[in-house]
Amino acid sequence: MLRFSVFSEKDVIIYQISPEKHYLCTKRNYSMKVEREDINRLKVVLAERKKTNKWLAEQLGKDPATVSKWCTNTSQPGLETLLEIAKCLNVDVKDLLWSSMNKQQ
């Protein structure tokens, strides 16, 4: 799901990625400021496993730039891909995600 809401009086754009996740963009002086939260722990898990983005891209048959975007939380892998990543890294899929419980406190 990708939905856009624009509030012209405030120049605010809300991108709804899923029912739980929203990205807020504010337009000022022709630039967009994106306030987003880190969703996945892929970069951390790769470091723990002593693996590189390039290695993971080769394992998944993906472009290294795509994996880089996942590691910087610029974009997120789909659920099926997340399961493949967990299998490649031999971790539980929960280990690839930041806990939502900590953010609610």
Side-chain angles (χ1 to χ4, degrees):
M1 167 193 299
L2 181 59
R3 208 178 289 167
F4 301 95
S5 300
V6 179
F7 302 95
S8 59
E9 65 272 9
K10 295 180 183 178
D11 282 329
V12 173
I13 302 170
I14 298 175
Y15 297 90
Q16 183 174 3
I17 306 301
S18 70
E20 304 85 28
K21 301 294 177 196
H22 295 77
Y23 292 156
L24 175 67
C25 299
T26 308
K27 184 178 178 182
R28 291 188 184 142
N29 298 331
Y30 303 105
S31 65
M32 298 296 282
K33 179 182 178 186
V34 178
E35 297 174 17
R36 65 173 177 260
E37 56 185 295
D38 290 347
I39 297 170
N40 75 61
R41 298 181 65 245
L42 185 54
K43 185 175 184 176
V44 174
V45 175
L46 281 169
E48 290 172 350
R49 298 289 178 178
K50 298 182 175 143
K51 302 291 183 185
T52 64
N53 297 7
K54 184 178 178 181
W55 174 86
L56 184 60
E58 290 170 357
Q59 298 301 307
L60 299 173
K62 301 283 185 185
D63 184 13
T66 300
V67 175
S68 178
K69 289 178 185 178
W70 297 338
C71 288
T72 59
N73 277 280
T74 303
S75 68
Q76 300 299 324
L79 184 56
E80 295 83 11
T81 305
L82 205 58
L83 292 169
E84 289 178 45
I85 293 168
K87 186 176 178 181
C88 287
L89 294 171
N90 197 27
V91 296
D92 190 290
V93 73
K94 292 186 297 185
D95 294 335
L96 296 173
L97 302 172
W98 290 107
S99 173
S100 62
M101 298 304 289
N102 295 338
K103 293 178 184 178
Q104 293 175 359
Q105 297 174 353

